Amino acid sequence: MKRLDSMDFDELLALKAKVEAAIAARVEKERKRLTASLERLDAIGMGGAPARGKRGPRAGAGKGRKIEPKYRNPENADEVWAGRGNRPRWLVAALKGGRKKLEDFAVAAAK
């Protein structure tokens, strides 16, 4: 095999094409092997949704579930907060007034 620095431009391009073809063939072979492994796992009941994008075993575990509200706006009963995430504007404004505490907005069941 020739050294790369002794090859002319056309030889380097031909070598590059060979390398890219070899990589593509290996990628396809590995993809088929992994797909077959996943199908075997599915067949024995160990398959499942891939864990892409997960940060840990419980990442997104409660996402999309409704939880009971812990706080309610006394001026508008439709405005509630479950105590998770940022505080809603109505609660922040009421607390800034200084006359009420967070506990004053608690829903009866959550007290």
Side-chain angles (χ1 to χ4, degrees), residues 9-105:
F9 188 72
D10 290 332
E11 289 175 317
L12 286 173
L13 286 177
L15 180 61
K16 178 185 175 203
K18 285 181 183 178
V19 168
E20 288 174 344
I23 290 172
R26 292 253 179 111
V27 165
E28 185 61 30
K29 181 180 175 183
E30 185 67 11
R31 183 175 288 127
K32 286 180 182 178
R33 185 187 70 77
L34 291 172
T35 301
S37 294
L38 284 174
E39 287 172 357
R40 279 195 312 274
L41 288 174
D42 281 341
I44 61 172
M46 293 183 65
R52 284 185 157 161
K54 299 292 183 184
R55 294 182 304 264
R58 292 208 23 94
K63 190 171 187 156
R65 291 191 193 146
K66 292 284 185 179
I67 60 171
E68 293 298 315
K70 293 182 181 177
Y71 306 97
R72 184 177 309 277
N73 184 354
E75 296 172 11
N76 182 353
D78 292 336
E79 294 180 330
V80 293
W81 181 50
R84 295 184 179 180
N86 293 334
R87 290 180 175 174
R89 290 183 186 139
W90 59 265
L91 183 59
V92 172
L95 294 174
K96 271 190 180 176
R99 285 181 262 131
K100 293 194 175 190
K101 296 181 182 175
L102 185 61
E103 297 83 37
D104 296 333
F105 297 96

